[in-house]
Amino acid sequence: MRYLSQRYSMPYPELKGLLTDIGTEELGHLEMVGALVHQLTREMTPEQIKKAGFDVYFVDHTAGVYPTAASGFPWSAASIGVKGDVITDLSEDMGAEQKARTTYDNILRLSDDPDVNNVIRFLREREVVHFQRFGEALRLAMDRMDEKNFYAVNPAFDRS
């Protein structure tokens, strides 16, 4: 949602396209993770649910896929960064991709399931590519901007 929302204020058509493409791909990642979670939980017995510490989640959602962080914090729009500033948004995007990569790294440290690990490795690789694309986009945007128009001196905010 972050990238699909940021594209509205992106002034450069090819970067708007990049945000659209990566945002669409990320929706596919959500589907992959949801399918993975469903496959892992759909046939759990009550004993397995309790042993895995899945009981609190199960009480509220059964085995339905309900987007939350590992800590149990539910997803909300408050978790997406959209500022409407090219540099801020692309920098935020790079950080978001690194956070996702770190999460996948942590899952790989804990998982011994080869089927899960194959999916997570694929997703991790895509986060690295997205980080690189956003870095390229940031450089392109900064090259196109009037040097006086970003960071310290912005004529639109001149107080004289």
Side-chain angles (χ1 to χ4, degrees):
M1 293 305 300
R2 169 195 315 266
Y3 309 140
L4 295 175
S5 297
Q6 288 175 351
R7 67 194 176 134
Y8 291 105
S9 59
M10 178 55 66
Y12 308 113
E14 62 273 33
L15 301 187
K16 187 178 290 196
L18 178 73
L19 289 164
T20 301
D21 291 348
I22 293 177
T24 302
E25 182 178 346
E26 292 290 353
L27 291 174
H29 294 182
L30 178 64
E31 183 178 6
M32 292 171 72
V33 170
L36 187 64
V37 169
H38 176 70
Q39 291 169 4
L40 291 170
T41 60
R42 69 179 173 211
E43 296 178 5
M44 291 178 79
T45 66
E47 293 77 26
Q48 291 170 322
I49 290 167
K50 289 176 188 173
K51 184 178 178 185
F54 193 61
D55 49 335
V56 173
Y57 179 95
F58 184 84
V59 168
D60 285 340
H61 309 289
T62 316
V65 176
Y66 180 74
T68 63
S71 62
F73 185 78
W75 182 89
S76 79
S79 66
I80 65 173
V82 179
K83 194 67 171 176
D85 176 88
V86 175
I87 294 172
T88 303
D89 284 347
L90 291 172
S91 297
E92 174 88 16
D93 297 344
M94 292 174 69
E97 294 297 330
Q98 286 301 307
K99 290 174 189 176
R101 182 205 41 86
T102 301
T103 297
Y104 292 139
D105 286 348
N106 292 339
I107 291 170
L108 289 168
R109 287 183 181 100
L110 298 174
S111 173
D112 60 1
D113 185 318
D115 293 327
V116 169
N117 292 352
N118 287 337
V119 172
I120 298 303
R121 279 190 194 95
F122 170 79
L123 294 172
R124 182 192 183 281
E125 289 171 13
R126 296 307 301 159
E127 304 306 346
V128 170
V129 170
H130 295 168
F131 174 81
Q132 293 168 338
R133 296 297 83 82
F134 284 132
E136 293 165 2
L138 181 59
R139 284 188 295 281
L140 182 94
M142 291 175 75
D143 286 346
R144 288 196 178 167
M145 296 174 86
D146 178 347
E147 288 181 57
K148 296 176 185 168
N149 229 2
F150 65 92
Y151 296 132
V153 181
N154 186 326
F157 302 111
D158 188 5
R159 295 181 192 167
S160 54

